[in-house]
Amino acid sequence: MLAGRLLGEALMNAGYYAQSYPEFGAERSGAPVTAFLRASEAPIEVRSPINRPHFVVVIDPYISMERSVIDGLREGGLVVANTTLPPGKLKETLRPAVECKVATVNATKIALDVLGRNNPNTAILGALAEVSKIAPIDFLMEAAKKAFPGRVGELNAEAIKRGAAEVAVA
């Protein structure tokens, strides 16, 4: 949810319209959460789940191994996953039905190194921004600093920068 909100804010600052919203299952505490983000140069009037995404970002390293996370991915799409696997190996594991790029980053390690806790959201956003060029990294860093004033914001901005620097693509 946080990653979607920060990316949405960065996109709005870059001149886009953005819409971000989560989807919860029956149990919230500790259960996986799916978050959607739409961005457009024109106002967004659609208010339904996204079934054919251009990008899929998987923050949970265990879920990144499940083929179902890329269901509906568009031809030429992009998967960015928090994993220790190299992107080629993850692509073999996921066996995408369409031609796509797969990018991986060890966002958990970055979060532990930079933030001192397992909160990989901002590191994976840096990876997404670097590979997709969807939002300037500086805009993401500013969104993180705004969401988390002071030292915490600075550290999250650093995690974004490291995610961008350490992402690998296949």
Side-chain angles (χ1 to χ4, degrees):
M1 288 177 21
L2 172 65
R5 192 181 93 215
L6 291 177
L7 181 56
E9 185 171 327
L11 287 166
M12 288 188 296
N13 289 338
Y16 291 91
Y17 292 88
Q19 177 189 90
S20 174
Y21 56 94
E23 179 180 271
F24 298 100
E27 297 178 18
R28 288 189 180 180
S29 182
V33 174
T34 301
F36 299 95
L37 174 75
R38 278 194 173 85
S40 176
E41 293 175 340
I44 301 168
E45 309 222 357
V46 176
R47 301 271 190 257
S48 62
I50 298 169
N51 297 317
R52 303 269 302 136
H54 292 90
F55 306 116
V56 173
V57 178
V58 186
I59 296 174
D60 186 317
Y62 299 105
I63 294 175
S64 69
M65 302 296 290
E66 293 182 21
R67 189 176 189 290
S68 64
V69 299
I70 61 168
D71 285 349
L73 182 66
R74 291 177 186 253
E75 182 79 24
L78 170 65
V79 178
V80 181
N82 174 18
T83 180
T84 58
L85 292 177
K89 181 68 176 167
L90 181 60
K91 193 170 188 175
E92 286 175 22
T93 300
L94 293 175
R95 298 182 328 275
V98 296
E99 184 55 41
C100 66
K101 282 198 269 185
V102 174
T104 62
V105 64
N106 190 343
T108 298
K109 181 181 183 318
I110 293 169
L112 292 171
D113 289 352
V114 175
L115 305 172
R117 54 189 258 209
N118 185 8
N119 191 350
N121 296 338
T122 51
I124 204 156
L125 280 180
L128 172 66
E130 178 65 26
V131 176
S132 70
K133 305 299 185 203
I134 190 170
I137 292 186
D138 291 346
F139 284 49
L140 276 174
M141 293 169 64
E142 285 305 313
K145 290 176 189 178
K146 182 178 175 187
F148 307 107
R151 178 100 172 111
V152 175
E154 294 294 332
L155 292 174
N156 276 281
E158 178 62 28
I160 288 168
K161 191 186 295 188
R162 278 214 27 211
E166 296 179 24
V167 66
V169 183

